[in-house]
Amino acid sequence: MLELSRPDVEEWLKLSNDEVLNLLDLDKVVSKLINLSEQKFTLLEDLMSLTEKQTGVIEVEDIDGLNLLIDRKQEKLDIIKQLDIQFEAVVSDLKTLYEIKSLDELEFQCSRITVLKEVISRIMDILREICE
């Protein structure tokens, strides 16, 4: 899942962990995680908006409108699920390669971790709002 600067897969498989770490552009990998997280945040905002619209549609008993909103929400949820799978795969690879338990441990090696934590915090805030 991690993007490497070395195209030859067979050579890649022969590398030690230290050699792999030297090939990784940690900032680039963390930027990918930030991008995935920002996409998720945008989708969650859309989901929240659809949920608010759903209340109005229910009040006027518009069943077709309600079904349309439910379908649109499911589409957003499906995309979020795929983003989560990608995110988890990259994080798992990083944890394995750097032998860490948390991305916080990379904060001194990559200043972008702070940005990632901020985006994740925004995601957690909107998730709490959606659940209310």
Side-chain angles (χ1 to χ4, degrees):
M1 196 74 200
L2 296 174
E3 295 178 28
L4 304 169
S5 59
R6 193 165 248 242
D8 186 34
V9 174
E10 291 197 18
E11 288 297 315
W12 159 254
L13 294 174
K14 296 176 188 173
L15 298 175
S16 70
N17 272 0
D18 288 337
E19 292 170 314
V20 170
L21 294 177
N22 289 333
L23 293 174
L24 290 176
D25 181 346
L26 185 57
D27 281 337
K28 186 175 180 181
V29 175
V30 172
S31 290
K32 178 171 179 62
L33 291 173
I34 291 167
N35 181 272
L36 290 169
S37 297
E38 287 173 340
Q39 288 179 58
K40 179 176 180 173
F41 180 79
T42 299
L43 288 164
L44 287 168
E45 285 182 317
D46 293 347
L47 197 61
M48 192 164 164
S49 174
L50 291 170
T51 300
E52 290 167 358
K53 290 178 184 175
Q54 193 172 326
T55 303
V57 170
I58 290 171
E59 287 174 1
V60 296
E61 299 179 11
D62 178 4
I63 300 302
D64 291 333
L66 180 61
N67 286 332
L68 178 64
L69 288 173
I70 290 170
D71 290 344
R72 289 176 60 197
K73 286 174 71 172
Q74 188 59 53
E75 289 170 7
K76 304 285 183 195
L77 290 169
D78 291 344
I79 297 169
I80 288 170
K81 182 178 179 180
Q82 291 305 311
L83 292 173
D84 285 344
I85 290 169
Q86 291 177 45
F87 185 94
E88 285 301 319
V90 173
V91 168
S92 177
D93 289 347
L94 281 175
K95 285 179 176 180
T96 300
L97 288 170
Y98 283 90
E99 298 177 352
I100 58 173
K101 292 185 187 333
S102 166
L103 291 181
D104 289 339
E105 296 175 53
L106 296 176
E107 200 160 0
F108 294 110
Q109 294 172 300
C110 177
S111 62
R112 307 270 303 145
I113 293 288
T114 303
V115 175
L116 176 61
K117 287 168 61 175
E118 290 169 4
V119 177
I120 291 172
S121 176
R122 290 185 8 233
I123 288 171
M124 297 308 293
D125 290 345
I126 198 166
L127 283 171
R128 278 189 287 277
E129 243 181 282
I130 289 172
C131 291
E132 289 178 350

